[in-house]
Structures are given as structure tokens and as C-alpha cells.
Amino acid sequence: MTITLEYNGKEYKLGFTRASIKQMEQDGFNFMEAQNYPATLAFSLIEGAFRTYNPKISEDKIYEIFDSLERREELVSVLMEMFQEPLAILKSPEGDEAKEKNVPWKVI
Amino acid sequence: MEGNLNPSDKKPLMTDAFEAACPLFMSYGMTYDEFWHDDPVRAKYYREAHEIVLEQMSFNAFVQGRYVRDAIADFIEFYAMTSRPKVGKHYPEKPYPITDRAKRIAEEHREEEVANRYLKMLGAKRNGNND
């Protein structure tokens, strides 16, 4: 599952791979612990999702784009689901229920 | 990455699970890069493909077992129980039809043979040759 969004004429793809999750965890991110700190969780997920497919994007650019989005809380909720998907798929057939389509997202 | 929580001494759980699962999925035919860098959903299809391969292996073993069983049945019937060897009737002259297509062709051949036998019995074939 990936998210695509267009900002200033440029298309950005957001999502997670196992490698990007590994990198986030090596940088200190722990999904279980982070759930106690919603703001930190959200920031980490947003940055991680952007950097998976846009490794050279700056932090300022990420938040410039994020601030321009509508339904930001919903986006974070979807990112939480997406973050867990790579593990869920490995664990059991139930994980296969994860969506395989791109989630449309609009910029204000 | 900035904005993270304090780094924990504990090894990250998801990475552990990925590293543990990686060899398993590589045994399914997934490459290392696919596992780590491609769409995570791809693993689902490798797992399902592996299940199909297992089913095919099981089916192949089953069919092979039938051939062996029939060969042994032939041996017992014609060499162990009688003094005169005969033509075996258990072991098939052709491979078992496995796919729907093969079954359909086999059925067509069988019907053709039945029809030929019937024509022969009626003498139709001889009449046909005389024409």
C-alpha cells in the first residue's frame, strides 16, 4: 500500500518498505513505545514515509508538504496502518487483507 | 532521523521479525532486494506461490505412488501368483491424465476406441475396405 500525492506539480510517493522500517528502527524509532507519544509517532511516520521513496527530501520540505495537506490526522492514521503492513503480511494470511492499491490523497 | 523517541537499548522488534523471515521468503524464491526494498505486499504472492508448489509436489508424489502401486500389483499378479507371465493389466499404458485438457483428450481417445471396436464388430470396417 502506498500513498501518492501531488504538490506543486511534483508527484510524491509515500510508504514503507522493510528496509525503510529497519532504518527507522536503527535510528531509534520503536513503534510500540511511540504509541505513548502520538506527536512523536506522527512526525516519525511522516518523515519515514516520505524518505522511503524520496530519500533526498529535506525535513523542511516534508513539513511544508504535510502542512498543506487536508485530513492530516487521517493521513497519520493510514500511515500507522501502512507501517504495520510489512510485518502483518509475513505473519499470517490475515495480513493479506492489507490493501494493495494506492490511496488517493489531495493537496489543499 | 529527527523527531524520534529516545533510542532504546532493546533491539527493534519489527527488524528482528524481518530478519528472521528473510531466509524463509528467499527459500520461496524472493530475492533479498525484493524482500527488503520492494512493495512489502509482494511477499504475500511468494508465500501463496510456495503453497501452490507444495500442493504440486504433493500431487506429483501421489501420482508417482499410484504408478508404483500399479507396477507392484502387476508384479504380484503375474509373477508371484501364476507360473506363466501375462501381459500386465494394472500398469497403465499411458500416463494418467492429470489436467482437464489431458482428461478431455483421453476421453476422446477412449470414445474413439469404443467406436472403432463397435464398427469392427459390425464388420463395417471390412465393408469400408471393400469399397
Side-chain angles (χ1 to χ4, degrees):
Chain A
M1 182 162 48
T2 55
I3 290 173
T4 51
L5 58 87
E6 196 176 313
Y7 180 75
N8 283 349
K10 188 179 176 186
E11 193 170 272
Y12 293 88
K13 185 176 171 185
L14 278 67
F16 298 100
T17 62
R18 295 187 182 89
S20 69
I21 291 173
K22 181 178 180 179
Q23 185 60 54
M24 288 171 70
E25 290 185 331
Q26 282 176 345
D27 290 341
F29 180 72
N30 186 312
F31 186 72
M32 297 302 287
E33 290 178 6
Q35 291 182 57
N36 300 323
Y37 308 93
T40 309
L41 172 67
F43 291 143
S44 298
L45 288 177
I46 293 158
E47 284 190 25
F50 266 99
R51 292 218 162 103
T52 298
Y53 297 108
N54 312 277
K56 291 181 179 174
I57 193 169
S58 69
E59 189 180 328
D60 290 343
K61 190 73 176 175
I62 290 171
Y63 289 107
E64 180 188 322
I65 296 170
F66 182 71
D67 288 342
S68 73
L69 296 174
E70 60 181 8
R71 296 181 286 130
R72 287 187 286 270
E73 286 184 9
E74 191 183 335
L75 175 63
V76 172
S77 170
V78 171
L79 290 177
M80 283 179 68
E81 190 184 329
M82 288 169 62
F83 188 85
Q84 297 173 79
E85 182 190 53
L87 183 62
I89 283 171
L90 296 184
K91 274 186 169 176
S92 68
E94 285 76 40
D96 295 347
E97 290 169 9
K99 317 284 188 300
E100 293 167 39
K101 61 185 181 186
N102 288 346
V103 177
W105 212 263
K106 287 182 180 175
V107 182
I108 299 171
Chain B
M1 180 183 297
E2 290 184 25
N4 284 335
L5 295 173
N6 296 329
S8 169
D9 290 338
K10 288 185 290 184
K11 203 173 179 188
L13 293 174
M14 289 179 78
T15 299
D16 285 347
F18 295 157
E19 286 178 347
C22 184
L24 179 68
F25 280 80
M26 287 174 75
S27 79
Y28 295 168
M30 199 171 190
T31 66
Y32 180 87
D33 281 342
E34 280 177 319
F35 182 84
W36 285 102
H37 300 287
D38 274 345
D39 187 348
V41 175
R42 194 174 280 210
K44 167 194 163 188
Y45 298 106
Y46 275 95
R47 192 184 58 226
E48 287 178 358
H50 176 69
E51 286 167 4
I52 291 169
V53 168
L54 288 181
E55 287 167 10
Q56 287 170 340
M57 286 170 61
S58 174
F59 186 77
N60 289 343
F62 172 76
V63 171
Q64 196 168 12
R66 283 181 62 181
Y67 285 121
V68 170
R69 180 199 65 186
D70 290 347
I72 291 172
D74 266 7
F75 175 80
I76 291 171
E77 183 169 341
F78 303 116
Y79 292 93
M81 297 177 70
T82 67
S83 57
R84 286 183 302 165
K86 302 172 191 170
V87 177
K89 63 179 180 183
H90 289 89
Y91 197 79
E93 292 178 358
K94 298 171 187 171
Y96 297 124
I98 291 172
T99 62
D100 288 343
R101 180 178 166 278
K103 285 176 185 169
R104 194 178 63 246
I105 291 170
E107 180 63 19
E108 285 171 3
H109 285 173
R110 194 190 64 79
E111 287 172 1
E112 196 178 322
E113 282 174 16
V114 170
N116 285 339
R117 275 206 304 272
Y118 184 69
L119 289 172
K120 199 173 180 179
M121 196 173 70
L122 292 176
K125 260 195 172 178
R126 193 191 303 173
N127 293 338
N129 289 339
N130 289 341
D131 290 343

